[in-house]
């Protein structure tokens, strides 16, 4: 039985783990998978699988002060259709704002006159390296850019209050969408 005091931080809790070796396992256009040997702060080693998806963006587009534009599509891994914000990976050489504008054009058929940064967050910090950068888009105008070849997208305007209720009822399950809607609600004082 441990005699550690649960109210005191572990003395090694903030010490970094060291990568002793790394071995590529798999790579495609969207992800890289590797297996590392990591040295723990106490000197032991462990195998650690890491999925690297890089940086991604999500954009919550406001059509007007009280209406948002969501995109809907079937998600293969989740095996269901969902409403969500336009999202996607940052491409090499793109700024985050350029990636946000590209995804907004590809998925929502719009371009933003104004992008406001909402937040950054790690989508799954334990085994995945992916940081999501979320934006609120305003002053929308039409933009024509074809969607990715694997995207079959519906577009629909929702009152923001309904999008918030969809999050509260767990009808919207995409993490980037949930975080963006809740941040926007906080900014709106909802």
């Amino acid at each position: 039985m441990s005699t550690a005091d649960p109210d005191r931080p572990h003395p090694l809790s903030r010490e970094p783990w060291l990568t002793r070796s790394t071995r590529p396992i798999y790579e495609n256009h969207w992800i890289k998978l590797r297996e590392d040997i990591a040295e723990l702060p106490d000197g032991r080693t462990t195998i650690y699988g890491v999925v690297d998806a890089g940086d991604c963006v999500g954009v919550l587009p406001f059509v007007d002060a009280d209406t948002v534009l969501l995109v809907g599509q079937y998600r293969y891994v989740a095996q269901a259709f969902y409403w969500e914000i336009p999202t996607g990976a940052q491409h090499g050489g793109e700024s985050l704002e350029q990636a946000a504008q590209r995804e907004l054009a590809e998925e929502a058929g719009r371009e933003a006159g104004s992008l406001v940064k909402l937040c950054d967050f790690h989508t799954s910090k334990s085994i995945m390296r992916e940081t999501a950068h979320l934006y609120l888009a305003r002053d929308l105008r039409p933009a024509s850019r074809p969607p990715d070849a694997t995207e079959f997208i519906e577009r629909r305007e929702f009152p923001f209050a309904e999008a918030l209720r969809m999050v509260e009822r767990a009808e919207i399950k995409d993490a980037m969408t949930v975080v963006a809607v809740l941040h926007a609600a906080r900014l709106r004082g909802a």
Side-chain angles (χ1 to χ4, degrees):
M1 190 156 92
S2 173
T3 59
D5 182 350
D7 294 328
R8 293 182 53 126
H10 191 285
L12 300 177
S13 65
R14 295 176 184 251
E15 293 297 316
W17 296 19
L18 304 175
T19 304
R20 289 298 172 212
S21 66
T22 189
R23 180 173 66 100
I25 304 293
Y26 172 79
E27 181 176 338
N28 67 25
H29 182 69
W30 297 278
I31 65 165
K32 295 176 185 176
L33 174 63
R34 71 176 198 260
E35 182 179 272
D36 291 352
I37 301 296
E39 183 179 319
L40 305 174
D42 64 5
R44 294 177 296 135
T45 59
T46 187
I47 293 175
Y48 213 95
V50 178
V51 178
D52 189 345
D55 289 313
C56 59
V57 295
V59 185
L60 178 59
F62 273 82
V63 175
D64 60 39
D66 297 313
T67 309
V68 293
L69 176 63
L70 298 181
V71 296
Q73 59 186 316
Y74 181 86
R75 290 301 194 170
Y76 174 75
V77 173
Q79 297 286 297
F81 174 92
Y82 293 104
W83 290 107
E84 58 196 44
I85 62 175
T87 62
Q90 179 185 26
H91 294 172
E94 273 184 327
S95 70
L96 291 169
E97 292 79 11
Q98 289 169 329
Q101 290 282 19
R102 178 183 44 75
E103 287 297 334
L104 185 59
E106 287 176 2
E107 295 188 7
R110 303 291 191 282
E111 180 179 71
S114 168
L115 282 176
V116 176
K117 185 75 173 268
L118 291 173
C119 72
D120 303 325
F121 73 97
H122 299 296
T123 60
S124 177
K125 76 220 171 300
S126 61
I127 63 163
M128 188 165 198
R129 193 194 77 74
E130 181 182 52
T131 302
H133 305 271
L134 302 183
Y135 293 86
L136 187 145
R138 293 188 180 113
D139 305 321
L140 302 181
R141 55 189 174 268
S144 179
R145 189 176 183 117
D148 287 342
T150 58
E151 294 177 328
F152 306 92
I153 293 174
E154 290 182 31
R155 299 171 183 156
R156 183 169 155 201
E157 293 181 5
F158 290 85
F160 179 75
E162 177 59 19
L164 181 57
R165 284 191 297 274
M166 291 166 72
V167 166
E168 291 167 344
R169 293 188 304 254
E171 294 169 15
I172 292 178
K173 297 189 180 293
D174 170 65
M176 286 197 277
T177 305
V178 169
V179 172
V181 168
L182 294 177
H183 268 280
R186 179 187 51 82
L187 289 173
R188 294 167 55 92

